[in-house]
Amino acid sequence: MSEFVRNQWYVAAYGREIGRELFSRTVCGESILFWRTEAGAVAAMSDRCVHRRFPLSQAPSHLAGDTVVCGYHGFTYDQGGACVAVPGQTRIPRTARLTSYPVTELDGFVWVFIGDRANAGSTRVPRAPWLDMPGWTAVSGMEPLAARYSLLVDNLLDLSHETYLHGGYIGTPEVAETPIVTRVDEEAGIVHVSRRMADAACPPFYAKSTGITGRITRWQDIEFTPPCLYLLHSRIAPVGVLPGADGADPDAFHVEVVYALTPETEHSTHDFWAVARDFALDDQGVSGFLEENNRTVVLQDVAALNVLERVIAAEPDGYQELSINIDTGGLAARRLIAKLR
Amino acid sequence: MSEFVRNQWYVAAYGREIGRELFSRTVCGESILFWRTEAGAVAAMSDRCVHRRFPLSQAPSHLAGDTVVCGYHGFTYDQGGACVAVPGQTRIPRTARLTSYPVTELDGFVWVFIGDRANAGSTRVPRAPWLDMPGWTAVSGMEPLAARYSLLVDNLLDLSHETYLHGGYIGTPEVAETPIVTRVDEEAGIVHVSRRMADAACPPFYAKSTGITGRITRWQDIEFTPPCLYLLHSRIAPVGVLPGADGADPDAFHVEVVYALTPETEHSTHDFWAVARDFALDDQGVSGFLEENNRTVVLQDVAALNVLERVIAAEPDGYQELSINIDTGGLAARRLIAKLR
Amino acid sequence: MSEFVRNQWYVAAYGREIGRELFSRTVCGESILFWRTEAGAVAAMSDRCVHRRFPLSQAPSHLAGDTVVCGYHGFTYDQGGACVAVPGQTRIPRTARLTSYPVTELDGFVWVFIGDRANAGSTRVPRAPWLDMPGWTAVSGMEPLAARYSLLVDNLLDLSHETYLHGGYIGTPEVAETPIVTRVDEEAGIVHVSRRMADAACPPFYAKSTGITGRITRWQDIEFTPPCLYLLHSRIAPVGVLPGADGADPDAFHVEVVYALTPETEHSTHDFWAVARDFALDDQGVSGFLEENNRTVVLQDVAALNVLERVIAAEPDGYQELSINIDTGGLAARRLIAKLR
């Protein structure tokens, strides 16, 4: 019985990953072939030849113009997945057609629709505009996670772990100490978790990138749109500096931390991460620092969750957890995900 | 439920592989110990000591004259599998006997009978005489395949894949383009698949070995005797050169490509291959070229089928295939194999 | 269905392994965290945080005084397993408590009780006093075994395998040739197996350590207390030298070979081994020789049993064994273990 939430858009790749080489990525257990047509559009179709299931991403399979040629027996498909040539005969069977997938490129991501394609048009694609917006600059990456998607949801919705798992990077004692406010927008299907620290130590991640040397006012406002897109609106300012009555906030630093959580299999996840900022836009040193530092933080999560996956896979069914206040965001996310499923 | 075809002879090894060292090979899921007696006969028996299942092929197990001594507690067996000594007592239990296997050496192969040994004598051992016949010379090898036997049957019965998977070695466009003729000899239990190309490019495999520089007449006549022996009678000649009315064919080059397909487990296969020719008999350069080139081709198949095995193992039961004209030979082979089973 | 014998003491570690670093070992399928308090006592508790099952032995989890701090969200536990701090709130849930384990240190071993802790006090901890006794000196180690516990029981209860698997180390022909006497003390739950060789070759293990150059009288008296402790009382003396009528035995060499057999999982085992002697007490050369030699012997067993585990795991259920006189000790041990279970 699949745990995947279907009839949803998922991030399959960064746009920069898809070009004129055949590219395969598994999303929600489905092996999908991606490539870019000569006109620049992203094509997405099943990565299994209809003949004998050979992966179309596997050499010597190759692109020939806007067709894909299977490397085993030469079955050839167009960008919509229709078979246009087979070996040894001119008649092409009517049923020779690959499943194709709705695709859209937004905010630097390639989104793919998993489920009944009739539902694709009416299903919202969540946005992360800061990744590709004037006045902002971003770094990003993707780390493969050998753990189930739900462990990453738990991880990101409860940032008190920053204090322990990411001490010396993004965590300080105040994160774990400060209570959270959780709010669920049932209609929009969004979980909001806020932690606002009025007077906190500034972790290296923000000290080195902003240049702030003293203590800070630090806001963490999470906005999670299940199943795939997680935004952390992060505001850092010297202690006492607050937005104006009109909402203007010129003296603070704003960072948008974006995660796309895409199930690969029941026990593995694509962990896309990006960090956008509205300061030091052209400073390559800051970009390099944030990219390296955030990747380190993500890899700390990956290491911990990979361990946790092995632990949980070995637990008997119905193993016990104990939840406390910090878990209200994660529990709300689980509830919304179960509802989507 | 086993998929193996039992009550059949299978190639277990080349004769050259069996000597005075204990040798183990698994055939149809049965671990079999092979060794050669002092008189030179091949002995074959279960590779599991009757006492505590220790593998008799595992050091410090060893041969002592014409007996095998278990390396764990010293149980000792003769060439028929009867236990002749146990530790700590002189009485040998009546039931202390290893299953022994009928064996025959033919055409350089060691054949072993899997099934009820009462049927061994009445079951045909298929022949590949060119491997050990005056006027012919042969090269051979074996590659382990981490894929189920049926994938290798499919592969060999449909040579249109030469064009795509083995381009630059044995494939040219004409192989995939030329229709096949399939014929099943129900009585003999043999599948014949013929592809006769009147005017084709000469692939490097044949150009370099025969010295032909122009286009060729190329005949591929497959003769598959399920479950184990596959012969490809290959005839290469300059375009327009055909056999005489009397069948004499002095101006053509003949190559006999032999495969023995032996299931190891449900998901792995021993892929024995040999290439015999009736020309350049003493030319070591040609022998070396054909050995290297055919091994490369076999390893291209191994790589592709190992991928396919992982793909198919992950498919839900009842996954779809789409068959076309090129598959008539493979489908006929599947039918004969199902009948044998 | 678990095969483990519960409500028993098992050796989890040597005392020297447990200090001020968090240490994890799995015993009978239970992951247990061990550490030593500032006062020097061994604490043992479940190695899974009650919150989200993160292993407490996994960095960045760490000791803080006499508490353990989980590296994921900071849940903190005292030496009895009670939770004493959680992040973001002061109230600690009543049920926040790790399972703790009864522990005792004896003879250099850390014993842990697996089962219902109410039974710990009334359950015997078997002894191996020579490991920590004046007049004796010992070497010891532990090798991980990728094989089920029962294979190690079989191995140790039938020493006829010394002749074959350990020839050149501890085996000589007389071991396999000499019949054994098996006696079961049903009340105490102990299996005794004796093999007394009046005139035997002296294997290198004893020749080099004792300095005896000729043939020996060699006694092997096994005393196995299921499930965990195996003692081999070994007596070596020049041929004809026997204990006096009063039991005094000044002209013999005595070696106590101790094994603690601790199931890790259903298919792996901790193989603790020690060799104590009453001679050459201060001779580091003899200590080094015995340590190296016995470790080699243990690794010969490990290699053989790891092979056997893979063989047996692949056998169909109800596979056949054939037992003879040498197996009476092993069969008695199996019976006592089944009774305990």
Side-chain angles (χ1 to χ4, degrees):
Chain A
M1 186 179 51
S2 169
E3 290 292 302
F4 300 128
V5 177
R6 292 171 59 80
N7 289 309
Q8 296 290 338
W9 291 94
Y10 287 93
V11 170
Y14 290 106
R16 64 182 182 251
E17 293 183 281
I18 312 299
R20 294 289 295 164
E21 298 289 326
L22 295 168
F23 178 92
S24 184
R25 190 155 276 158
T26 296
V27 176
C28 295
E30 306 190 18
S31 275
I32 307 178
L33 178 75
F34 295 91
W35 48 283
R36 212 172 271 281
T37 64
E38 290 180 332
V42 176
M45 58 198 70
S46 169
D47 189 22
R48 298 288 179 266
C49 181
V50 298
H51 177 229
R52 288 292 180 268
R53 316 300 294 156
F54 194 73
L56 296 167
S57 59
Q58 178 77 29
S61 300
H62 59 277
L63 275 181
D66 278 350
T67 65
V68 178
V69 182
C70 178
Y72 196 1
H73 298 93
F75 277 58
T76 303
Y77 302 93
D78 69 17
Q79 68 195 76
C83 184
V84 296
V86 301
Q89 64 189 62
T90 52
R91 195 185 68 80
I92 295 165
R94 265 184 315 115
T95 57
R97 170 176 286 282
L98 301 172
T99 300
S100 71
Y101 291 83
V103 167
T104 190
E105 288 196 79
L106 273 177
D107 308 323
F109 289 132
V110 175
W111 293 83
V112 67
F113 189 78
I114 301 293
D116 178 353
R117 62 181 300 138
N119 298 318
S122 58
T123 305
R124 173 184 54 181
V125 185
R127 299 296 305 266
W130 313 274
L131 301 189
D132 185 20
M133 183 189 265
W136 291 76
T137 192
V139 294
S140 60
M142 191 279 274
E143 310 308 326
L145 179 66
R148 63 194 70 186
Y149 159 80
S150 62
L151 292 181
L152 186 56
V153 174
D154 280 358
N155 175 275
L156 290 172
L157 270 289
D158 173 12
L159 295 181
S160 66
H161 81 271
E162 290 185 355
T163 303
Y164 299 93
L165 196 55
H166 307 308
Y169 293 86
I170 56 174
T172 69
E174 295 82 4
V175 180
E177 289 164 4
T178 306
I180 54 168
V181 176
T182 302
R183 182 171 62 81
V184 179
D185 183 336
E186 299 283 348
E187 195 171 358
I190 296 177
V191 180
H192 298 270
V193 180
S194 283
R195 176 180 275 118
R196 299 204 165 178
M197 296 161 267
D199 183 352
C202 189
F205 185 81
Y206 290 119
K208 292 202 184 169
S209 57
T210 65
I212 295 179
T213 53
R215 291 179 69 84
I216 56 173
T217 294
R218 180 178 181 189
W219 294 2
Q220 294 180 320
D221 293 309
I222 294 169
E223 179 183 348
F224 177 47
T225 306
C228 189
L229 195 71
Y230 171 98
L231 308 175
L232 171 60
H233 309 293
S234 181
R235 178 187 182 277
I236 304 97
V239 170
V241 173
L242 294 176
D246 59 352
D249 194 21
D251 298 326
F253 298 84
H254 299 90
V255 171
E256 297 286 341
V257 184
V258 177
Y259 284 88
L261 300 69
T262 302
E264 180 186 40
T265 68
E266 298 282 359
H267 299 283
S268 60
T269 305
H270 305 298
D271 186 354
F272 294 91
W273 59 267
V275 176
R277 66 185 190 274
D278 68 354
F279 56 91
L281 297 187
D282 298 322
D283 190 326
Q284 295 303 312
V286 170
S287 291
F289 168 75
L290 288 176
E291 182 172 357
E292 178 59 25
N293 209 261
N294 203 68
R295 183 163 185 270
T296 299
V297 164
V298 171
L299 290 176
Q300 289 169 336
D301 283 329
V302 165
L305 299 185
N306 287 1
V307 165
L308 207 45
E309 172 66 33
R310 293 195 295 274
V311 164
I312 285 176
E315 293 277 349
D317 283 347
Y319 67 89
Q320 289 293 312
E321 292 181 330
L322 187 147
S323 295
I324 60 173
N325 295 347
I326 56 169
D327 298 307
T328 51
L331 296 177
R334 291 184 189 183
R335 186 170 56 76
L336 287 195
I337 291 166
K339 201 165 130 190
L340 290 176
R341 190 180 293 134
Chain B
M1 186 180 50
S2 168
E3 290 292 303
F4 300 128
V5 177
R6 292 171 59 80
N7 289 309
Q8 296 290 338
W9 291 94
Y10 287 94
V11 170
Y14 290 105
R16 64 183 183 249
E17 292 183 281
I18 311 300
R20 293 290 294 167
E21 298 291 327
L22 295 168
F23 178 92
S24 184
R25 190 156 274 159
T26 296
V27 176
C28 295
E30 305 189 19
S31 275
I32 307 177
L33 179 75
F34 295 90
W35 48 282
R36 211 173 271 280
T37 65
E38 292 180 332
V42 175
M45 58 199 69
S46 169
D47 188 22
R48 298 288 178 266
C49 181
V50 297
H51 177 228
R52 289 291 180 269
R53 316 300 294 155
F54 194 73
L56 296 168
S57 59
Q58 179 76 28
S61 300
H62 59 277
L63 275 180
D66 279 348
T67 65
V68 178
V69 182
C70 179
Y72 195 1
H73 298 94
F75 278 59
T76 303
Y77 302 92
D78 70 16
Q79 67 194 77
C83 184
V84 296
V86 301
Q89 64 188 62
T90 52
R91 195 187 66 82
I92 295 165
R94 264 185 314 116
T95 58
R97 169 177 286 284
L98 301 172
T99 299
S100 71
Y101 291 82
V103 167
T104 190
E105 286 196 81
L106 273 177
D107 308 323
F109 290 131
V110 174
W111 292 83
V112 66
F113 189 78
I114 300 295
D116 178 352
R117 63 180 302 137
N119 298 319
S122 58
T123 305
R124 172 185 53 181
V125 186
R127 300 295 304 266
W130 312 274
L131 302 188
D132 185 20
M133 183 188 265
W136 291 76
T137 191
V139 294
S140 60
M142 191 278 274
E143 312 307 327
L145 179 67
R148 63 195 69 185
Y149 159 80
S150 62
L151 292 181
L152 186 55
V153 174
D154 280 358
N155 175 274
L156 290 171
L157 271 289
D158 173 12
L159 294 181
S160 67
H161 81 272
E162 290 184 354
T163 303
Y164 298 94
L165 197 55
H166 307 306
Y169 293 85
I170 55 174
T172 68
E174 295 83 3
V175 179
E177 288 163 6
T178 306
I180 53 169
V181 176
T182 302
R183 182 171 62 83
V184 179
D185 181 337
E186 300 283 347
E187 194 171 357
I190 296 178
V191 180
H192 298 270
V193 180
S194 284
R195 176 181 274 116
R196 299 205 165 178
M197 296 162 268
D199 182 352
C202 189
F205 186 82
Y206 290 119
K208 291 202 184 169
S209 57
T210 65
I212 296 180
T213 54
R215 292 179 67 84
I216 55 173
T217 294
R218 181 178 181 189
W219 292 2
Q220 294 180 320
D221 293 309
I222 295 170
E223 179 183 349
F224 177 46
T225 306
C228 189
L229 195 71
Y230 171 99
L231 309 175
L232 170 62
H233 310 293
S234 181
R235 178 185 182 278
I236 304 96
V239 170
V241 173
L242 294 176
D246 61 352
D249 194 21
D251 298 326
F253 298 85
H254 299 91
V255 172
E256 297 286 340
V257 184
V258 177
Y259 283 88
L261 300 69
T262 301
E264 180 187 40
T265 68
E266 298 282 0
H267 298 283
S268 61
T269 305
H270 305 297
D271 186 354
F272 294 91
W273 59 268
V275 175
R277 67 184 189 274
D278 68 354
F279 56 91
L281 296 187
D282 299 321
D283 190 326
Q284 294 302 313
V286 169
S287 291
F289 169 76
L290 288 177
E291 182 171 359
E292 178 59 25
N293 208 261
N294 203 67
R295 182 162 186 271
T296 299
V297 164
V298 171
L299 290 176
Q300 289 168 337
D301 283 329
V302 164
L305 298 185
N306 287 1
V307 166
L308 207 45
E309 173 64 33
R310 293 195 295 274
V311 164
I312 284 174
E315 294 276 350
D317 283 347
Y319 67 88
Q320 289 294 311
E321 292 181 331
L322 187 148
S323 295
I324 59 173
N325 295 347
I326 56 171
D327 298 306
T328 52
L331 296 177
R334 291 185 190 182
R335 185 169 57 76
L336 288 195
I337 291 166
K339 201 165 132 190
L340 291 176
R341 189 181 292 133
Chain C
M1 187 180 51
S2 168
E3 291 292 302
F4 300 128
V5 177
R6 292 170 59 80
N7 290 308
Q8 297 289 339
W9 292 94
Y10 287 93
V11 171
Y14 290 105
R16 64 182 183 252
E17 293 182 281
I18 313 299
R20 294 290 294 166
E21 298 289 328
L22 295 168
F23 178 92
S24 184
R25 190 155 276 158
T26 296
V27 177
C28 295
E30 305 189 19
S31 275
I32 307 177
L33 179 75
F34 295 90
W35 48 282
R36 210 172 274 279
T37 65
E38 291 180 331
V42 176
M45 59 199 69
S46 169
D47 188 22
R48 298 286 178 265
C49 182
V50 298
H51 177 229
R52 289 291 180 269
R53 316 300 293 155
F54 194 74
L56 296 166
S57 59
Q58 179 76 27
S61 300
H62 58 278
L63 275 180
D66 279 349
T67 66
V68 178
V69 182
C70 178
Y72 195 1
H73 299 92
F75 277 57
T76 303
Y77 302 93
D78 71 15
Q79 68 194 76
C83 183
V84 296
V86 301
Q89 64 188 60
T90 52
R91 195 185 68 81
I92 294 165
R94 266 185 315 116
T95 57
R97 172 175 285 282
L98 301 172
T99 300
S100 71
Y101 291 83
V103 166
T104 190
E105 286 196 81
L106 273 177
D107 308 323
F109 289 131
V110 175
W111 292 83
V112 66
F113 189 78
I114 300 295
D116 178 351
R117 61 180 301 135
N119 298 319
S122 59
T123 305
R124 173 184 54 181
V125 185
R127 299 297 305 266
W130 312 273
L131 303 189
D132 184 20
M133 183 189 265
W136 291 76
T137 192
V139 293
S140 60
M142 191 279 275
E143 311 307 327
L145 180 66
R148 62 195 69 184
Y149 158 81
S150 62
L151 292 181
L152 186 55
V153 174
D154 280 359
N155 174 275
L156 290 171
L157 269 290
D158 173 12
L159 295 181
S160 66
H161 80 272
E162 290 184 354
T163 303
Y164 298 94
L165 197 55
H166 307 306
Y169 293 85
I170 55 175
T172 68
E174 295 82 5
V175 181
E177 288 163 5
T178 306
I180 54 169
V181 175
T182 302
R183 181 171 62 82
V184 179
D185 182 336
E186 300 282 349
E187 195 171 357
I190 296 177
V191 180
H192 298 270
V193 180
S194 284
R195 175 180 275 117
R196 300 205 164 178
M197 296 162 268
D199 182 353
C202 188
F205 185 81
Y206 290 119
K208 291 202 184 169
S209 58
T210 65
I212 296 180
T213 53
R215 291 179 68 82
I216 56 173
T217 294
R218 181 177 181 188
W219 293 1
Q220 294 180 319
D221 293 309
I222 294 170
E223 179 183 349
F224 177 48
T225 307
C228 190
L229 196 70
Y230 171 99
L231 308 175
L232 170 60
H233 309 292
S234 180
R235 179 185 182 278
I236 304 95
V239 170
V241 173
L242 293 176
D246 61 352
D249 194 20
D251 298 326
F253 299 85
H254 299 90
V255 172
E256 297 286 340
V257 185
V258 177
Y259 285 88
L261 300 68
T262 302
E264 180 187 39
T265 68
E266 298 281 1
H267 298 284
S268 60
T269 305
H270 305 297
D271 185 353
F272 295 91
W273 59 267
V275 175
R277 66 183 190 274
D278 67 354
F279 57 90
L281 297 187
D282 299 321
D283 189 326
Q284 294 303 311
V286 169
S287 290
F289 169 76
L290 288 176
E291 182 172 357
E292 178 60 25
N293 210 260
N294 203 67
R295 182 161 185 272
T296 299
V297 164
V298 171
L299 290 175
Q300 289 169 336
D301 284 329
V302 165
L305 298 185
N306 287 0
V307 166
L308 207 45
E309 172 65 34
R310 293 195 296 274
V311 163
I312 285 174
E315 293 275 351
D317 283 346
Y319 68 87
Q320 289 293 312
E321 291 180 332
L322 186 147
S323 295
I324 59 174
N325 295 347
I326 56 171
D327 298 305
T328 52
L331 296 177
R334 291 184 189 183
R335 185 170 57 76
L336 287 195
I337 291 166
K339 201 165 132 189
L340 291 176
R341 190 179 293 131

